[in-house]
Amino acid sequence: MKIDWAALASVFGVSLVVTVALVGLFTLGIVALSKPSAASGGGSAALARTSAYACFAACAAAVAYGIYLIVA
């Protein structure tokens, strides 16, 4: 049995980068929702809430794409 170490390292590197990016994106969404201006209302609150929902949607899309890659 021969292990292709270069392919294994490539898969590890890509999965590490994608995982860190996904966690960072989700963290940005949580931070945008927890801004004090989001509770008071106004223009900046709407922008913060919209950006938070965009971050969560991007996370959901990445997870859905990963499931698609596994299933297909």
Side-chain angles (χ1 to χ4, degrees):
M1 182 167 143
K2 184 178 177 196
I3 297 174
D4 188 1
W5 291 105
L8 182 64
S10 175
V11 168
F12 175 76
V14 169
S15 64
L16 182 67
V17 168
V18 169
T19 301
V20 169
L22 198 60
V23 168
L25 193 62
F26 192 79
T27 302
L28 285 176
I30 290 175
V31 168
L33 273 183
S34 66
K35 291 263 186 215
S37 64
S40 65
S44 66
L47 179 63
R49 185 173 294 128
T50 304
S51 63
Y53 291 154
C55 288
F56 294 144
C59 287
V63 169
Y65 182 64
I67 292 172
Y68 168 76
L69 288 177
I70 291 171
V71 171

